[in-house]
Structures are given as structure tokens and as C-alpha cells.
Amino acid sequence: MTIPLKLAVVGAGVIGRHHARVAVQHPDLEVVALVDAIPAAATSAADELESMGVVRPITTETIEEAIDQADIDVVAICSPSGMHVQLAEAALAAGKHVVIEKPLDTTMPRARQIAALAADARARGLVTSVISQHRFDPASVAVAGAAHDGSFGTVTSGVASVAWYRSQGYYDSGDWRGTWELDGGGAVMNQGVHTVDLLVWALGRPEEISAQTGLLAHDRIEVEDTAVATVRFRDGALGVIHCTTAAYPGLSARYAVYGTHGSAIVDDDRLAYFHVAPDTATLESASTTANTTAVADAVDQKSDVVPPEHVVGGPAEPDHFVAGHARQYTDIVAAIREGREPGVTVDAALVSLATVRGLYVSATIGRPVRIDDVIDGEYDDVVPVVGAAIHAGGTTHAEGVTR
């Protein structure tokens, strides 16, 4: 019988408790410690786990205390993003594997610090992974697989669109909401980051981004509620990013991948469309007319690619929110035991973060931005500024923040 890995969860807020619940239900994990600077939060989370019928984990105020008091294999960092560096450093220095809840960080300098720590730890046999649970959704696995193995032919383009709605009350509900310092951004960083990450995963390394942002439907916030961008990828594909929190009543998060031999659409984590040309003859017989669908009777193959609960219109997946993190934890456990890289590395998370940061930089300086330059720190001093906003009634003003 395989012995479960012992997990310490740092941060007993909503996402930390979620990690703990996922781990309690995972056969290869055991929660042994809960860490929070507010003792009552850790105690309450421990009460919750104990009520689920597992051994009560210890509670401490610091990760150092937890490492001293418990036998720990893995540390899950679920604290505010600005604390990720110091917590990762402490855990890795103690020889623990590390899981970082997304985002990797909200700033590139701190993200680069984490990447350096992870690289050093990798040389010592330690695994560091960043949560990007939707990369493990069966629909996205199928789409990325087809994009990477050539099933879609030459991948030419992709679109990521998050059309959600957040009321003014949502932003007014906390002083940190809608601020660059504590929120890290608006519709892209908070609502669209997962979908942007999936587009980057499918289309490959982004080379350059050009963007515009706007604050069009909300007041008293610094960040954008609407953003659009175009991205050029290393292999030549072109992508479009669209994120908004001003799409009443709130629609879906979806992304599409288009290629010369096939295409696919994922809508709210489920496969909405999937088709790969069955043979060369089918490709050669495509109509030469201007019809939208050049291939007659092209069959939507989505139901043959993933189970019904991962197809749009199919039955709901039981505990979908838990299942996503559980699938990633299964990969992390396997990476630790097999001595391999996890499915989501810190370097991969760094590229996705740089894409979001590049979007904000491009919108601020008004020209395309190279992603490698963002990663290398060329734009670290750029303070994001949201483009001119036109409110109902015609008032125009520039929204931004200076420091």
C-alpha cells in the first residue's frame, strides 16, 4: 500500500480550505497542518476537516512552526500573492515540495524570484508546481493534445473570450477590489487569467502582444473592466484575447483553437465542438465556394473525444470544482514519486503571467510588447494605466493610477 504524502496548507481562507477539502478526499494525500497568521482561521478550518472524519491537523501561525512540529512532504501556498515568495523560500529551504495557488504572483520581479527558487530546488529533486487546474480538464486536455500532436494540422489562430458581469457592488464590497496593488488587475488578471492560460497552453509560446483596455461600466476602481488584445505566437499562430466584467447578465468563458486540419471550442470547461479531418481526401474535397462550412456534413466529434459530463449539454460532473484541483494534485503526486516535472511548472506559469502583464504594459504605452522583454524585466517600472472610459451620458475621462 502506498503511503499518502503529508500536506501542509498555508492560508486558511476560502481557497486554502478548498485545497484542504480536496486533499482530504484524495487517496494519496493527508492534511497534517493548517497555517494561518490568524489562529482562529486555522482552528476553524481544522474543525471542518475533523468533522469530515479525518485526523485533526495541527494548527500554527507560521510555516516554520508547522515544519518544526509535523512531518511534512508538500506545502500548499494559498496565501495572498504577495507572500508567495517568502513562503516558497521557507518551504523549499526546508526540503519540501511546493504547490502555489494561482496566480504565481501579481508582479514580475517576485515571480522571477519564485522561478529562481524553483530552478534551484529542482536541482535538489524538489517539485514546485502552480495551480492551473483547468489544464487538467478532459476537454482542455483533448484540445491541447490535438494542437500539439498535429491532429489540427497547422494551428493558425485562437480566441479566448471571458464575457462575465460584475456589479458596482462587487467592486465596492472590499477596499482591495479593483486596485493594482492588491488585485493585480481587473477583468484579465482576475476573471480571464485561466482562459488566457489555456490559450497559451494550446497555441504555444507567445512572442508579442498588442492591447487596449478600458474602464467602461464601473466607478471607483483603478483597473480595467474591458480588455482586448492580439497575440503573435512563436510558431506563427495569431490569437485574440477578450475579457470583460461588463457583459450583462454574464455569459461564458470560452476559447477556440483553429487549424488547417481541425478546430475545437471549449465553453465553461466543457467541449462545445471538436472536429479533425478524417483523411487527406476529405481535405482535398473541401468546397472551393465561399461557404462558411467548406466541408459538407463535417461531423462534430466531441462526444467521441471526452466523456458525456465533459461535453456541453451533457450531465454535470459531480463536484466539478473539487475534481479540477484533484486532477492536478494527482499529477503533482505522480511528479514527486516519479522524479519528473509536474504538468504545470513555475516556468509555464511565468509565461502566462508575463502575457497578462504584457497586455497591461502594451495598453499603457500604446505599442506592441515582446513577452521575453516582459520576462526579462524591461517593463518592470511601467505603472499600468487604463485607457479612456466613456460612461453613459458621454463623459470621457482617463482612468489610471500613479505611484
Side-chain angles (χ1 to χ4, degrees), residues 224-389:
E224 85 289 354
D225 61 19
T226 305
V228 294
T230 56
V231 186
R232 178 172 55 80
F233 291 84
R234 179 166 294 173
D235 290 338
L238 300 177
V240 174
I241 295 171
H242 160 255
C243 300
T244 183
T245 54
Y248 180 84
L251 304 175
S252 64
R254 60 189 279 145
Y255 72 100
V257 177
Y258 303 111
T260 56
H261 293 181
S263 301
I265 300 171
V266 175
D267 196 311
D268 280 345
D269 309 329
R270 292 183 169 199
L271 201 56
Y273 181 81
F274 189 98
H275 179 82
V276 171
D279 48 49
T280 303
T282 302
L283 291 167
E284 293 175 347
S285 67
S287 171
T288 57
T289 67
N291 294 336
T292 301
T293 304
V295 179
D297 302 320
V299 176
D300 186 347
Q301 302 157 352
K302 63 177 179 288
S303 295
D304 299 326
V305 175
V306 295
E309 62 268 27
H310 300 289
V311 173
V312 169
E317 179 186 26
D319 295 323
H320 174 67
F321 189 46
V322 170
H325 277 74
R327 283 188 283 263
Q328 182 160 2
Y329 265 110
T330 295
D331 170 77
I332 292 167
V333 169
I336 292 170
R337 289 178 172 166
E338 296 167 14
R340 63 165 174 83
E341 289 274 47
V344 182
T345 63
V346 171
D347 288 342
L350 185 68
V351 171
S352 291
L353 178 64
T355 303
V356 174
R357 170 64 179 171
L359 183 152
Y360 289 140
V361 171
S362 174
T364 298
I365 67 178
R367 60 178 173 82
V369 167
R370 293 182 68 253
I371 301 302
D372 281 349
D373 291 341
V374 176
I375 292 174
D376 292 341
E378 184 172 327
Y379 298 105
D380 283 355
D381 292 336
V382 174
V383 177
V385 177
V386 178

Side-chain angles (χ1 to χ4, degrees), residues 8 11 18 29 97 99 104 106 146 151-152 155 179 184 188 201 219 222 230 242 245 252 254 268 308 334 341 348 387:
H18 176 67
L29 293 169
H97 305 285
V99 178
L104 176 62
T106 58
S151 297
F152 287 158
V155 175
T179 66
V188 183
W201 184 38
D219 296 303
E222 300 170 346
T230 56
H242 160 255
T245 54
S252 64
R254 60 189 279 145
D268 280 345
E341 289 274 47

Side-chain angles (χ1 to χ4, degrees), residues 100 102 130-136 194 197-198 328 344:
I100 302 172
K102 53 53 180 88
V130 181
I131 291 296
S132 186
Q133 75 271 25
H134 293 296
R135 288 197 184 199
F136 297 87
H194 275 303
D197 175 68
L198 292 171
Q328 182 160 2
V344 182

